């Protein structure tokens, strides 16, 4: 079994890395019927495991005991599977943020972000030339305001940092991006909290919670690795109004970027409050995936941004991928991303053009159920 962190690896993996530039063969993780694989969203959870039986029969002596399916996870919701959307409730957001602050985390104001380039209205400075890291390994990096840790409830209900996300420019200034497997796993995660710029137990730019989550329906139906991307519209917990992009700045999103470009990959390991980063090239792994060969991205880094054209003034860049996709992120030697092509562009447009979820009336049936109302068909 392969894991994305310091778990088991085939004995000949190192040699395989040399033979194929660090990329595991596509058949290493075969899904149902083959070896299980684990990704970077949650340590030790098989990604492709499926429950084949609704009822398990156990024979004890001469007595047969019928055991029903496990109880439903209280922190998952069905949402609207046809559109791949979930409308979060305000109560869930406030409770989730309070739970994070009840642990070893606190909000403490960080330095203001002054340079912003929303929607290309102002041209950013010349990008920083990217050269490969030496040695080629992810190393601790300074926190960036637009990149942070994503929390959700663990098995005991306490918040756990399980993924990474980043702020991406949107007309509403309220959008973050991560991997789909970080927010939908047999249902939408209902108590997510994003802490941009997290370091040393401090959330310098506040805690932000989803108002609406968008994934491609093909991710929901069969966990298609070519659609392992999610966009979340967020609001600041405990405060009225506010747009995250005005607080943290944002990455510029780029669709259809050619493979082979120098890039920087960043993520928050699950056992750290500071990120790790590496610079290398984002190569093609088939027509719908990018491959980034650099060891040192363990559990917790899923959803981390893959950036080109870094801006020296803000540290932001052009977002061309997030850790996810093939094998739901890869392993400790290589990371993958779904390509940001036409499908991701359509998902982004849907996430940014639907009505502002903050306008939903509290107590409405949609707000209570988490199901987004269907839009009327175009005439």
């Amino acid at each position: 079994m392969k894991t994305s962190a310091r778990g088991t690896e085939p004995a000949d993996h190192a040699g395989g890395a040399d033979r194929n530039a660090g990329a595991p063969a596509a058949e290493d993780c075969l899904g149902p019927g083959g070896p299980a694989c684990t990704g970077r969203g949650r340590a030790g959870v098989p990604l492709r495991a499926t429950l084949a039986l609704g009822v398990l029969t156990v024979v004890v002596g001469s007595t047969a005991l019928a055991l029903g399916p496990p109880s439903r996870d209280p922190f998952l919701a069905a949402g609207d599977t046809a559109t791949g959307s979930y409308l979060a409730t305000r109560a869930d957001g406030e409770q989730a943020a309070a739970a994070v602050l009840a642990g070893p985390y606190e909000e403490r104001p960080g330095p203001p972000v002054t340079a912003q380039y929303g929607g290309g209205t102002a041209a950013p400075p010349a990008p920083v030339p990217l050269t490969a890291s030496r040695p080629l390994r992810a190393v601790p990096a300074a926190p960036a305001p637009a990149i942070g840790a994503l929390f959700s409830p663990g098995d005991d209900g306490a918040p756990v940092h399980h993924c990474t996300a980043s702020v991406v420019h949107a007309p509403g200034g309220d959008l973050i991006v991560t991997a789909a497997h970080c927010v939908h796993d047999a249902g939408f995660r209902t108590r997510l909290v994003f802490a941009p710029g997290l370091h040393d137990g401090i959330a310098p730019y506040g805690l932000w919670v989803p108002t609406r989550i968008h994934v491609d329906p093909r991710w929901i139906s069969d966990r298609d690795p070519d659609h392992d991307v999610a966009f979340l519209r967020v609001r600041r917990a405990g405060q009225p109004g506010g747009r995250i992009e005005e607080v943290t700045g944002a990455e510029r999103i780029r669709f259809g970027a050619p493979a082979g470009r120098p890039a920087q990959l960043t993520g928050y390991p699950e056992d750290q409050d500071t990120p790790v980063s590496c610079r290398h090239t984002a190569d093609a792994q088939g027509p719908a995936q990018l491959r980034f060969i650099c060891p040192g991205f363990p559990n917790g880094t899923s959803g981390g941004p893959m950036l080109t054209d870094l801006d020296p003034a803000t540290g932001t860049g052009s977002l061309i991928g997030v850790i996810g996709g093939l094998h739901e992120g890869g392993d400790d030697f290589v990371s993958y991303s779904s390509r940001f092509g036409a499908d991701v562009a359509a998902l982004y447009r849907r996430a940014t053009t639907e009505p502002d979820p903050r306008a939903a009336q509290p107590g409405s049936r949609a707000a209570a159920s988490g199901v987004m109302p269907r839009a009327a068909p175009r005439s």
Side-chain angles (χ1 to χ4, degrees):
M1 180 176 73
K2 294 173 61 178
T3 71
S4 64
R6 300 151 297 278
T8 57
E9 283 291 331
D12 62 349
H13 191 286
D18 292 336
R19 290 192 303 270
N20 195 28
E27 64 270 17
D28 284 348
C29 177
L30 301 178
C37 58
T38 60
R40 300 189 181 130
R42 239 180 155 120
V45 178
L47 296 177
R48 304 283 180 184
T50 58
L51 183 62
L53 300 177
V55 176
L56 176 66
T57 301
V58 179
V59 177
V60 180
S62 60
T63 303
L65 302 177
L67 303 181
S71 59
R72 186 175 179 278
D73 189 326
F75 304 115
L76 294 179
D80 188 331
T81 58
T83 63
S85 300
Y86 172 71
L87 182 62
T89 68
R90 177 168 290 273
D92 274 343
E94 297 304 317
Q95 291 173 15
V100 171
L101 295 177
Y105 300 97
E106 63 175 313
E107 291 186 78
R108 189 185 304 170
V113 175
T114 56
Q116 299 176 4
Y117 305 97
T121 56
V128 176
L130 290 177
T131 57
S133 299
R134 291 289 182 267
L136 190 59
R137 183 170 185 83
V139 296
I147 304 173
L150 192 64
F151 292 81
S152 70
D155 293 338
D156 60 356
V160 176
H161 157 219
H162 74 293
C163 276
T164 302
S166 57
V167 184
V168 62
H169 172 69
D174 60 352
L175 199 67
I176 67 173
V177 62
T178 187
H181 74 260
C182 291
V183 302
H184 189 284
D185 183 8
F188 285 95
R189 299 188 184 277
T190 61
R191 295 195 180 182
L192 295 166
V193 179
F194 176 56
L198 184 71
H199 66 88
D200 306 309
I202 299 169
Y205 303 104
L207 299 179
W208 301 78
V209 295
T211 56
R212 183 169 283 167
I213 303 174
H214 296 271
V215 301
D216 193 294
R218 286 165 287 190
W219 173 261
I220 296 176
S221 62
D222 61 3
R223 299 181 76 86
D224 186 335
D226 294 344
H227 303 286
D228 194 3
V229 180
F231 293 102
L232 290 68
R233 295 177 71 168
V234 297
R235 63 174 176 84
R236 189 158 187 174
Q239 295 186 19
R243 300 179 186 275
I244 191 169
E245 190 169 331
E246 296 173 351
V247 177
T248 64
E251 316 293 356
R252 302 174 296 276
I253 194 163
R254 180 173 179 180
F255 303 107
R261 290 177 59 82
Q264 176 175 288
L265 196 62
T266 302
Y268 275 78
E270 64 179 357
D271 58 351
Q272 297 180 26
D273 283 351
T274 52
V276 296
S277 185
C278 182
R279 293 181 176 183
H280 198 32
T281 55
D283 298 314
Q285 177 74 21
Q289 298 281 326
L290 291 175
R291 178 182 70 242
F292 188 96
I293 299 167
C294 183
F297 287 94
N299 290 342
T301 58
S302 271
M306 185 181 294
L307 302 173
T308 63
D309 303 328
L310 290 182
D311 181 337
T314 65
T316 60
S318 297
L319 181 74
I320 62 171
V322 296
I323 298 177
L326 191 62
H327 307 327
E328 300 193 4
D331 57 27
D332 194 46
F333 293 86
V334 60
S335 300
Y336 297 101
S337 171
S338 306
R339 293 285 288 267
F340 278 21
D343 289 336
V344 176
L347 182 65
Y348 172 84
R349 286 194 298 271
R350 177 158 63 85
T352 57
T353 58
E354 286 185 346
D356 189 338
R358 289 172 294 188
Q361 294 298 317
S364 69
R365 183 177 179 182
S369 65
V371 178
M372 183 186 69
R374 302 281 180 89
R378 287 185 177 180
S379 57

